[in-house]
């Protein structure tokens, strides 16, 4: 049994404690300085080895240091900050930790992760986001919480209404800050940071650091430790991916065949447009599949319902646009099908990263029409690998020239895109 009391340079009153009935732990997580309770908790969740961001960030956060991390979702980033934060907070008290997220989905995901990791503590975690009523959030805030995961706009509303105060925030996490910038949230973020005490620990996560964010970071952080976990250029090795060439008029039939011939547990189908997603969902429902739909035209209730339905198995198929591809962590997705090739090579990696997560294997199929050849090539160049072209035996293809690799290569060579295209920001 250990009762580690860490040096808290900024927030000296935080004293981590360990519940009495947890065994003494000697794991790779306890070696990073995590208490027995937390090491036991992550062991219960099946984590054996810390991911690189966890190995680097946990000791720094435990010591109270500020961090600029460049890791993306899917790297174990949430646990990298949540575990040491829970340890630092120790036992229930005032609102001492705020995590800002750009979207409701990410806020929900982070809140869920905190709930799981804090299972063996009496810390209270809640979530605050827009698009829903105030009642439950007000009740939760009034009851007293230690940790809030929030989107900026709604948090400001609560602050203005006097429903909560940030005066005791010891630890501030600004997550996915580049997305907050894209979404126009930086002024709100600044207003929120200003309401937190100056003497605090700040953790700042972003995939890129354009000048606006460098400025924000130098204003909000003190002597940060930089932790860079390379950009996700290639999909996890646990994902097998293939391109399925087909003419545009046969896309839906091919999708249908793929679903019929694949033994899938749960599949996410990505479309480029919201209307396209609705149309595919409707056709799949008509052919007997249970389908959830996620895109930005759907309201909050519909999005949560679709996601929950997919997670619990009510829907075997989730049809989504790219907004759902980024960051969403859904366990056990066995297949990803790109009904449309993403325009942006990085989106491909994000989309197919929804399967093969946390060491599970997964398959990713992409339908490639004659018009998509250039985008498909861009994806291969971006990842630095060539993706196998596959054909479904017995499917009545009407344009067999699509399978002529030489012709495809020539078409692609004639239509090479400027490199800058590959690094353009993600579409939302
Ligand atoms: P994140 O990057 O925080 O979205 O995490 C991605 C997924 O990896 C989540 O499902 C986590 O539960 C899982 N995960 C996080 N850390 C580990 C670990 N050390 N070992 C195995 N899985 C992990």
């Amino acid at each position: 049994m250990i009762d580690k009391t860490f040096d808290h340079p900024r927030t000296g009153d935080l004293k981590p404690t360990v519940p009495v009935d947890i065994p003494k732990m000697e794991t790779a997580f306890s070696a990073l300085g995590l208490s027995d309770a937390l090491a036991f908790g992550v062991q219960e969740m099946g984590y054996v080895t810390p991911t690189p961001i966890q190995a680097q960030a946990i000791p720094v956060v435990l010591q109270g240091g500020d961090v600029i991390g460049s890791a993306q979702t899917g790297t174990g980033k949430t646990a990298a900050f949540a575990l040491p934060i829970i340890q630092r907070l120790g036992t229930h008290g005032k609102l001492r930790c705020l995590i800002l997220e750009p979207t409701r989905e990410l806020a929900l995901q982070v809140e869920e992760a905190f709930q799981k990791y804090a299972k063996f503590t009496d810390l209270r975690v809640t979530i605050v986001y827009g698009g829903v009523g105030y009642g439950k959030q007000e009740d939760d805030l009034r009851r007293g919480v230690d940790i809030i995961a929030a989107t900026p706009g709604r948090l400001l509303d609560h602050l203005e209404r006097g429903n909560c105060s940030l005066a005791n925030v010891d630890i501030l996490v600004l997550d996915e800050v580049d997305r907050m910038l894209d979404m126009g949230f930086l002024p709100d973020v600044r207003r929120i940071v200003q309401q937190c005490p100056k003497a605090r620990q700040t953790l700042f996560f972003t995939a890129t650091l354009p000048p606006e964010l460098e400025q924000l970071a130098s204003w909000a952080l003190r002597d940060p430790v930089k932790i860079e976990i390379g950009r996700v250029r290639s999909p996890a090795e646990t994902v097998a991916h293939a391109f399925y060439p087909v003419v545009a008029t046969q896309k839906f039939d091919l999708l249908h065949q793929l679903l019929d011939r694949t033994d899938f547990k749960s599949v996410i189908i990505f479309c480029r447009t919201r209307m396209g997603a609705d149309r595919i969902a409707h056709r799949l429902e008509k052919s007997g599949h249970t389908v959830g739909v996620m895109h930005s035209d759907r309201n909050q209730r519909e999005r949560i319902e679709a996601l929950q339905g997919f997670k619990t198995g009510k829907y075997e198929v989730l049809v989504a646009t790219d907004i759902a591809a980024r960051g969403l962590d859904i366990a056990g997705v066995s297949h990803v099908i790109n009904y449309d090739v993403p325009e942006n090579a990085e989106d491909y990696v994000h989309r197919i990263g929804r399967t093969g997560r946390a060491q599970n294997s997964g398959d990713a199929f992409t339908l490639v029409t004659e018009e998509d050849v250039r985008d498909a090539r861009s994806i291969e160049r971006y990842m630095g690998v060539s993706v196998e072209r596959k054909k479904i035996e017995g499917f009545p293809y009407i344009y067999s020239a699509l399978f002529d690799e030489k012709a495809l290569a020539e078409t692609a060579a004639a239509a090479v895109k400027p490199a800058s295209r590959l690094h353009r920001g993600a579409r939302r």
Side-chain angles (χ1 to χ4, degrees):
M1 202 71 52
I2 22 173
D3 187 353
K4 287 198 176 85
T5 303
F6 290 91
D7 179 26
H8 304 299
R10 307 252 175 97
T11 51
D13 58 333
L14 299 176
K15 288 200 174 47
T17 53
V18 179
V20 282
D21 52 348
I22 301 288
K24 168 111 185 73
M25 301 297 293
E26 279 180 20
T27 66
F29 283 94
S30 55
L32 293 174
L34 289 177
S35 67
D36 289 345
L38 285 164
F40 184 73
V42 292
Q43 180 171 286
E44 295 267 287
M45 289 182 71
Y47 301 178
V48 180
T49 317
T51 65
I53 178 91
Q54 291 163 4
Q56 292 184 53
I58 289 173
V60 179
V61 180
L62 280 176
Q63 294 300 326
D66 283 4
V67 169
I68 296 190
S70 75
Q72 301 186 332
T73 47
T75 56
K77 181 181 61 172
T78 317
F81 62 80
L83 294 169
I85 285 176
I86 290 167
Q87 178 152 327
R88 299 211 66 208
L89 296 180
T91 52
H92 176 56
K94 294 179 172 160
L95 170 55
R96 284 159 299 149
C97 174
L98 168 65
I99 302 117
L100 284 184
E101 293 288 339
T103 66
R104 302 170 259 211
E105 283 80 9
L106 286 167
L108 273 162
Q109 217 164 270
V110 164
E111 187 239 5
E112 257 176 44
F114 265 93
Q115 298 282 13
K116 277 190 213 148
Y117 300 134
K119 199 167 80 173
F120 298 108
T121 74
D122 66 348
L123 292 172
R124 296 191 203 156
V125 188
T126 198
I127 180 160
V128 152
Y129 56 87
V132 291
Y134 283 79
K136 183 177 178 314
Q137 295 178 6
E138 278 174 353
D139 290 347
D140 288 345
L141 293 172
R142 219 169 285 133
R143 227 172 278 130
V145 291
D146 302 277
I147 302 162
I148 298 185
T151 52
R154 176 56 67 92
L155 178 65
L156 280 170
D157 290 348
H158 281 294
L159 288 167
E160 271 158 30
R161 292 172 176 217
N163 295 336
C164 60
S165 150
L166 304 181
N168 296 296
V169 166
D170 287 316
I171 308 172
L172 172 66
V173 182
L174 304 177
D175 196 18
E176 307 264 338
V177 191
D178 49 349
R179 289 185 66 193
M180 302 228 231
L181 169 71
D182 286 352
M183 293 165 88
F185 291 167
L186 282 206
D188 284 354
V189 171
R190 281 179 186 275
R191 287 172 60 204
I192 291 168
V193 174
Q194 271 162 344
Q195 296 197 38
C196 296
K198 279 213 167 91
R200 57 160 199 271
Q201 179 177 22
T202 311
L203 313 176
F204 187 105
F205 294 96
T206 182
T208 56
L209 203 62
E212 298 101 306
L213 294 193
E214 259 184 63
Q215 232 174 27
L216 177 69
S218 62
W219 171 70
L221 302 171
R222 273 198 274 162
D223 304 327
V225 174
K226 288 202 171 156
I227 299 177
E228 201 163 328
I229 307 296
R231 267 173 100 69
V232 190
R233 269 199 172 258
S234 50
E237 279 169 15
T238 46
V239 180
H241 46 144
F243 286 169
Y244 284 82
V246 65
V247 287
T249 52
Q250 287 192 304
K251 271 172 97 173
F252 187 79
D253 293 339
L254 191 82
L255 171 70
H256 207 245
Q257 284 287 314
L258 272 171
L259 289 174
D260 271 359
R261 294 178 188 212
T262 308
D263 184 18
F264 64 84
K265 274 198 303 202
S266 59
V267 53
I268 304 186
I269 298 176
F270 283 108
C271 296
R272 265 192 199 184
T273 64
R274 291 167 283 207
M275 261 168 64
D278 282 336
R279 207 166 38 233
I280 297 304
H282 185 65
R283 292 181 73 177
L284 286 173
E285 265 169 359
K286 277 200 357 203
S287 52
H289 294 282
T290 53
V291 187
V293 189
M294 272 206 60
H295 58 61
S296 51
D297 269 357
R298 308 212 84 205
N299 67 34
Q300 181 59 10
R301 194 187 48 74
E302 292 169 329
R303 278 154 75 168
I304 292 178
E305 198 275 329
L307 196 58
Q308 285 306 334
F310 186 62
K311 281 183 174 175
T312 56
K314 178 178 166 198
Y315 302 125
E316 54 182 358
V317 178
L318 182 71
V319 181
T321 55
D322 285 294
I323 193 157
R326 296 218 160 209
L328 281 193
D329 180 34
I330 306 169
V333 176
S334 63
H335 292 76
V336 164
I337 300 181
N338 292 315
Y339 187 77
D340 300 311
V341 175
E343 244 176 69
N344 187 318
E346 208 177 326
D347 281 344
Y348 178 83
V349 178
H350 282 287
R351 285 183 182 187
I352 76 170
R354 294 316 98 206
T355 183
R357 284 171 89 73
Q359 266 85 56
N360 288 320
S361 63
D363 283 290
F365 306 144
T366 301
L367 307 192
V368 180
T369 70
E370 58 280 26
E371 283 172 11
D372 300 320
V373 171
R374 284 186 312 176
D375 286 329
R377 280 278 160 188
S378 299
I379 289 165
E380 290 181 304
R381 263 202 313 271
Y382 179 78
M383 296 190 300
V385 294
S386 63
V387 178
E388 189 185 352
R389 269 71 175 162
K390 284 196 176 167
K391 192 172 178 177
I392 294 187
E393 281 316 312
F395 184 77
Y397 287 102
I398 53 177
Y399 182 38
S400 58
L402 275 171
F403 300 98
D404 180 342
E405 280 296 309
K406 196 161 158 276
L408 268 183
E410 278 162 12
T411 323
V416 175
K417 291 179 175 179
S420 62
R421 175 93 193 265
L422 300 180
H423 301 288
R424 219 178 42 189
R427 289 172 305 124
R428 297 190 202 301

